[in-house]
Amino acid sequence: MRRIPPHRIPLRALPLCAAAFLLTSCGWTDDGPSVAPPAAPIGVTAEAGSSSTVHVMWNRPGPGAEVEGYSVYQGEKLVKELPGEQYMVDISGLKPSASYSFTVRARDDRGTLGPRSRAVKVTTPRFKKADKKPPTVPGELKGDARGARSALLTWKSSTDDQAVASYDIYQSGTKIHSAGAKATRTVVTGLRPGTDYTFTVKARDASDNSSAASNALRLTTAEGAADARGTAPTEFEAVSREEDGSYHIDLSWNPPETDGVVMQYRIQLNREQTTSLVWGGNPPKGRAKHSFYADREKGVTYRVRIQAMLPDGTFGEYSPERVVVTGEAPKR
């Protein structure tokens, strides 16, 4: 068996590529070079928190992206303007048993709005006028920091005389996230390294009755900003497959547990970044899969691993590395 480096673009092709890029991507206005507007936010989700509220979330852009703020639309109506560091919001004042559609646009420091995200639809539950009794308090809130930027929270479910609609997560008394009616755990991302945090959880029903707060959970994130423990894709597998005289590598994995939707991954071959995988629409539920061409020769060794872009715009921990030899069974 022999090991080869990832495929590279020949150096002689670079000047032509660079020239083509400059001709097609650069513009000029009277005020100077033109600046492209921000890209459309990805990973947008909407979930009813009660009969009159919806929790809308989206992913922050990746490192280096310039976003000053976000605009949230209910249909064609602008309903919220938010700063760039915020990537979730509750929309209130909605009608029970009604369907709504939400989109999000990013805004740069020049006030330029990018295109709308894909629309997400949600239906609020029915309101029950006689229901004035709040759910029971969520029990036994526990958790721990996952490295420097995230934390895992778990709790025991609440009960309600009608039904629990959602769980609201609070950080030092300020609501920061909502989880679904059946949730008993969530991951909070976007935390700061070496920082003390206090979390509580409240249950809410469809009539907007909220329980008292759970016990307070206090934790401290790790000091190192690069510490991303607990954010790697899990059960990562890589297998060689032959098709029409060529060898392909089939990847499969479970997305990391986060407080949003993972829309992008980076794939490394032999410890060099080879490509980025971005879901164009909704990412697959459960186990994800991806295949790519590797080589025409049998016996070529590749070392493969992946990492996810988290909803807070940072990249998580790499998966365990898998060794793949074209034409042979997978090795660990």
Side-chain angles (χ1 to χ4, degrees), residues 253-308:
W253 66 91
N254 293 327
E257 193 173 18
T258 71
D259 56 356
V261 179
V262 176
M263 298 293 293
Q264 181 174 342
Y265 295 87
R266 290 198 298 206
I267 301 173
Q268 276 196 353
L269 289 181
N270 300 333
R271 293 299 177 97
E272 293 188 18
Q273 184 179 338
T274 302
T275 187
S276 291
L277 171 64
V278 181
W279 303 118
N282 292 325
K285 293 184 178 180
R287 197 157 179 80
K289 297 180 180 180
H290 178 63
S291 298
F292 59 90
Y293 167 81
D295 209 286
R296 297 187 66 86
E297 186 177 347
K298 183 178 180 180
V300 179
T301 300
Y302 292 93
R303 288 171 169 79
V304 191
R305 62 180 186 170
I306 63 172
Q307 66 178 162

Side-chain angles (χ1 to χ4, degrees), residues 127-206:
F127 177 76
K128 298 181 179 180
K129 293 183 179 179
D131 184 13
K132 295 184 178 181
K133 185 177 180 180
T136 60
V137 178
E140 298 183 26
L141 177 62
K142 300 178 182 179
D144 52 62
R146 287 188 162 188
R149 302 191 305 267
S150 64
L152 171 66
L153 311 182
T154 65
W155 60 89
K156 288 192 174 180
S157 58
S158 299
T159 58
D160 186 69
D161 58 343
Q162 301 295 332
V164 173
S166 63
Y167 291 93
D168 297 328
I169 290 82
Y170 290 79
Q171 176 187 313
S172 299
T174 300
K175 182 182 172 183
I176 60 168
H177 183 44
S178 287
K182 296 182 179 180
T184 55
R185 59 191 287 144
T186 192
V187 172
V188 179
T189 60
L191 305 181
R192 296 181 178 179
T195 303
D196 297 329
Y197 289 94
T198 301
F199 296 101
T200 55
V201 177
K202 295 181 181 180
R204 187 157 38 128
D205 63 21

Side-chain angles (χ1 to χ4, degrees), residues 1 238-239 301-304 321-325 329-332:
M1 294 185 296
V239 180
T301 300
Y302 292 93
R303 288 171 169 79
V304 191
E321 189 175 77
R322 302 303 185 209
V323 177
V324 183
V325 181
K331 294 184 178 182
R332 294 295 182 93

Side-chain angles (χ1 to χ4, degrees), residues 30-271:
D30 292 339
D31 297 324
S34 62
V35 179
I42 60 175
V44 182
T45 61
E47 186 168 1
S50 71
S51 61
S52 62
T53 62
V54 166
H55 187 63
V56 182
M57 293 180 59
W58 57 93
N59 289 7
R60 290 178 180 172
E66 298 293 337
V67 173
E68 186 73 14
Y70 296 97
S71 298
V72 182
Y73 294 82
Q74 176 188 317
E76 296 299 319
K77 179 184 177 182
L78 175 65
V79 290
K80 289 287 183 178
E81 294 273 13
L82 302 165
E85 62 270 14
Q86 190 169 338
Y87 61 111
M88 59 182 72
V89 67
D90 280 333
I91 308 299
S92 58
L94 305 178
K95 295 180 179 180
S97 303
S99 296
Y100 293 93
S101 176
F102 294 94
T103 54
V104 183
R105 301 175 74 181
R107 182 179 66 255
D108 64 19
D109 58 2
R110 298 158 61 99
T112 304
L113 283 169
R116 290 182 185 237
S117 69
R118 69 176 185 87
V120 291
K121 297 181 179 180
V122 62
T123 300
T124 53
R126 181 168 61 93
F127 177 76
K128 298 181 179 180
K129 293 183 179 179
D131 184 13
K132 295 184 178 181
K133 185 177 180 180
T136 60
V137 178
E140 298 183 26
L141 177 62
K142 300 178 182 179
D144 52 62
R146 287 188 162 188
R149 302 191 305 267
S150 64
L152 171 66
L153 311 182
T154 65
W155 60 89
K156 288 192 174 180
S157 58
S158 299
T159 58
D160 186 69
D161 58 343
Q162 301 295 332
V164 173
S166 63
Y167 291 93
D168 297 328
I169 290 82
Y170 290 79
Q171 176 187 313
S172 299
T174 300
K175 182 182 172 183
I176 60 168
H177 183 44
S178 287
K182 296 182 179 180
T184 55
R185 59 191 287 144
T186 192
V187 172
V188 179
T189 60
L191 305 181
R192 296 181 178 179
T195 303
D196 297 329
Y197 289 94
T198 301
F199 296 101
T200 55
V201 177
K202 295 181 181 180
R204 187 157 38 128
D205 63 21
S207 298
D208 257 340
N209 300 310
S210 290
S211 72
S214 68
N215 60 291
L217 170 67
R218 295 176 176 83
L219 55 83
T220 303
T221 51
E223 290 287 347
D227 189 337
R229 282 173 292 170
T231 59
T234 59
E235 299 184 28
F236 176 57
E237 301 292 342
V239 180
S240 170
R241 170 175 54 86
E242 184 179 5
E243 181 179 327
D244 297 329
S246 299
Y247 292 98
H248 300 255
I249 296 178
D250 296 337
L251 309 180
S252 63
W253 66 91
N254 293 327
E257 193 173 18
T258 71
D259 56 356
V261 179
V262 176
M263 298 293 293
Q264 181 174 342
Y265 295 87
R266 290 198 298 206
I267 301 173
Q268 276 196 353
L269 289 181
N270 300 333
R271 293 299 177 97

